[in-house]
Amino acid sequence: MNTAGPADVPARMGLDLTPFRGLRYDPDRVGSLSAVTSPPYDVVVRPDGLHHLESADPHNIVRLILPQAATPTARNKQAAVTLHRWLAEGVLVTDPEPGLYVYEQRDGDGMLQRGVIGALRLSEPAEGVVLPHEDVMPHVVADRADLMRATSANLEPLLLTYRGDGSATGTTAVIERTVQHPPLLRTTTEDGFSHRLWSVTRPADLAAIRADLAGHQALIADGHHRWATYLRLRTEHPSPSAWDFGLVLLVDTVRYPLRVRAIHRLLHRLSVPDALTALGDSFRVRRVDGPLSEAREVLAVAAAEGNAFLLAGDGAFHLVDRPSRDLLARTIPADQPEAWRTLDATVLHATLIDHIWHIPDVPEHIAYIHDTAATVAKAERDGGTAVLMHPVQEEVVRELAGQGVTMPRKSTSFGPKPATGLVLRALEP
C-alpha cells in the first residue's frame, strides 16, 4: 500500500492534453452508432451482456475490447485482425486532422456531463499530476496490456476528473462555445443516455484548453487498470512516442458533478447459509424484506451509521452490520488513515473476505459487478453469495487520493462512464 503523499515528491507541470486524429465509425457502414457502442470492458456483464452486444451489430466494439477465442493469445490476435480489417474496409475511418473532442452525455433524469477527450501525457502517481484512488489487480493489467500491444490502440477512454474554479473561462469556455454547433455524431444508447461528440481543431481553442489544464491535477474516476496498463507499456517503447500518452476523458466536477456508485462482489464458491454461519457473533445479522429497491434503502440507512453490507443469493436479503470493534482492531491495518480503516471495502476485504471467509481474491472466487440486480441474479442462479455495497462519498475518495493512499480495488464506480466506440486512438500507423 502506498502511503507516500504527492507532497513528498516535487510537483511537475500539470495536465498535458494533446490533440490526436481519432478513429471513428463511418455511420454509412454500420447499422447504427448505438448498435456498435458498448459500456467499458469491465462493466459488460459476461456472458449475457457480451452476447447481447455481439448480436447487436457485427461491428460492435465489444469484439475489440472483449474478443472471444480459446486462448488469451488467440483473443488478442483476433482483436488485432478485426481492427485492421475494419480499417481496411472503411468501417473505422481516421479523422482528417488532429483535434480534441468535446463529449456530452445526458439522461432523462436531468443528468448532464460534458468533458474533453484527448491524449494525456502519462505520469507516475508520485508526480502528483494524475492521482489513482484504488489498487489494481495485476492479472487484469497484464490482460489489458497484451490486448493493447496486439492492437496498438487505445480502444476506450479513461474517465478522469479535475476541479475547475467555477468560472466560464479556459476549457469551460471552449466547451460551451463548441456545443452550440452541430456535432460530429449523436446517438442514444440502450441505457437511455444520449451522446454527442464534437471535434475541436481551432489552434486558439486548443491552446486555451492546454493552458487551462496545465494548472490542474486529475483524479482517476474510472480506468485504474487501463492507466496502469498505459504506464507499463510506456516503459516498453523509447520516448518520445505515442505511447507516452493515453486516451482519456477529462470532466470538471465543479461544473458537472459525477454520480458515485458501488461495485458489488459475487462470491462464487460461498453459499449464503455458509457465509452467515461463519459470521458467528462478530456482526449483527438481520433478514430484510424485498424487493431489491427497498432492501437497498435499508442498507443506505445502516451504512450512514457504520459499516454495512447486504448479502443475497438464497432468495432473501440479509443486512450485515455493526462489526465487533475488537475484531476490527485485530484485522484492519493500523498504519493507515482513519478514513481508509473505516471504508466498507476495507472491512469487507480485510475482515470478512480474508479473516472470516478465507476467500482468495482471484477471479475463480470473486467477481466484481457494477449492476446490482445482475449480481443478485447471478448469485441466486449459481448458488453463490452477492455482497451488495453502499457507495463511498466522493469527498472521501479525493481526501485519500490527495494523501497518496489507495483504496481497496473496485471500491467505487464513478459515472456516467463514457461509451466505448465513439472515438478510438491509434498508437501506430
Side-chain angles (χ1 to χ4, degrees):
M1 182 70 64
N2 173 26
T3 57
D8 299 326
V9 176
R12 49 156 278 179
M13 186 177 178
L15 302 170
D16 181 8
L17 192 69
T18 66
F20 69 103
R21 294 178 66 196
L23 297 179
R24 296 190 295 110
Y25 281 101
D26 181 345
D28 295 331
R29 300 299 303 273
V30 298
S32 70
L33 287 175
S34 63
V36 295
T37 61
S38 164
Y41 79 98
D42 57 340
V43 181
V44 177
V45 179
R46 293 174 278 188
D48 305 7
L50 179 64
H51 294 159
H52 174 71
L53 291 165
E54 285 183 328
S55 62
D57 189 286
H59 300 109
N60 189 284
I61 193 69
V62 77
R63 296 179 186 274
L64 299 183
I65 63 172
L66 290 172
Q68 299 300 295
T71 67
T73 299
R75 288 196 295 270
N76 296 325
K77 182 178 180 180
Q78 179 174 296
V81 169
T82 300
L83 175 59
H84 294 154
R85 184 176 70 250
W86 290 356
L87 289 167
E89 295 174 350
V91 173
L92 287 171
V93 294
T94 305
D95 280 338
E97 57 182 318
L100 299 176
Y101 295 84
V102 169
Y103 177 48
E104 175 190 277
Q105 293 167 277
R106 290 180 182 266
D107 70 4
D109 298 326
M111 178 74 181
L112 171 64
Q113 177 174 288
R114 288 173 177 155
V116 179
I117 296 175
L120 183 68
R121 184 178 296 277
L122 305 180
S123 60
E124 296 290 342
E127 296 178 63
V129 177
V130 176
L131 303 179
H133 70 267
E134 290 183 353
D135 289 334
V136 297
M137 293 175 272
H139 74 276
V140 177
V141 176
D143 173 74
R144 292 294 100 185
D146 289 341
L147 177 63
M148 202 175 298
R149 284 191 200 95
T151 58
S152 292
N154 296 155
L155 301 174
E156 45 187 341
L158 284 63
L159 175 59
L160 272 60
T161 72
Y162 68 99
R163 307 284 290 176
D165 60 9
S167 67
T169 60
T171 304
T172 296
V174 175
I175 290 175
E176 298 306 319
R177 284 198 304 271
T178 301
V179 299
Q180 302 305 314
H181 298 283
L184 286 175
L185 63 85
R186 67 172 74 221
T187 189
T188 299
T189 45
E190 277 190 340
D191 56 8
F193 272 91
S194 64
H195 307 261
R196 297 197 294 172
L197 190 77
W198 295 261
S199 178
V200 178
T201 58
R202 290 181 62 244
D205 289 339
L206 296 175
I209 292 174
R210 191 166 194 178
D212 179 36
L213 294 178
H216 289 288
Q217 175 188 69
L219 174 75
I220 301 176
D222 184 69
H224 285 81
H225 290 90
R226 283 166 286 164
W227 183 259
T229 298
Y230 288 169
L231 293 177
R232 174 181 293 190
L233 296 181
R234 179 181 63 169
T235 66
E236 301 175 5
H237 297 82
S239 186
S241 77
W243 298 85
D244 293 335
F245 298 81
L247 186 64
V248 305
L249 165 64
L250 277 166
V251 175
D252 176 0
T253 52
V254 169
R255 198 164 188 88
Y256 300 107
L258 299 183
R259 293 170 176 162
V260 186
R261 292 175 173 164
I263 302 176
H264 311 295
R265 276 63 168 163
L266 174 60
L267 311 180
H268 296 297
R269 303 181 183 179
L270 180 69
S271 68
V272 173
D274 288 346
L276 295 174
T277 298
L279 294 178
D281 297 328
S282 57
F283 284 77
R284 183 178 70 168
V285 179
R286 290 182 288 158
R287 186 184 177 99
V288 178
D289 293 330
L292 175 58
S293 58
E294 294 182 7
R296 292 179 68 184
E297 290 177 3
V298 173
L299 173 62
V301 172
E305 300 176 355
N307 300 118
F309 314 92
L310 203 61
L311 305 192
D314 62 347
F317 298 100
H318 309 270
L319 181 68
V320 176
D321 65 353
R322 298 188 182 180
S324 160
R325 291 186 178 182
D326 290 341
L327 177 63
L328 296 182
R330 296 198 311 271
T331 57
I332 303 296
D335 59 347
Q336 298 294 329
E338 175 73 11
W340 184 91
R341 297 198 308 271
T342 56
L343 288 169
D344 285 342
T346 298
V347 173
L348 172 60
H349 283 266
T351 303
L352 285 168
I353 289 177
D354 293 349
H355 181 78
I356 293 179
W357 293 328
H358 305 290
I359 298 175
D361 193 358
V362 295
E364 293 78 14
H365 287 269
I366 303 177
Y368 295 82
I369 305 177
H370 294 72
D371 185 271
T372 310
T375 310
V376 175
K378 283 181 173 291
E380 292 180 344
R381 184 174 62 219
D382 302 338
T385 295
V387 182
L388 305 183
M389 310 278 286
H390 187 69
V392 181
Q393 295 297 316
E394 182 178 357
E395 293 75 14
V396 175
V397 177
R398 289 190 176 277
E399 174 190 345
L400 290 172
Q403 298 176 50
V405 177
T406 51
M407 299 165 64
R409 60 193 66 167
K410 300 294 183 180
S411 294
T412 60
S413 176
F414 284 88
K417 305 178 190 302
T420 299
L422 297 181
V423 61
L424 291 64
R425 174 176 174 256
L427 291 161
E428 296 176 0

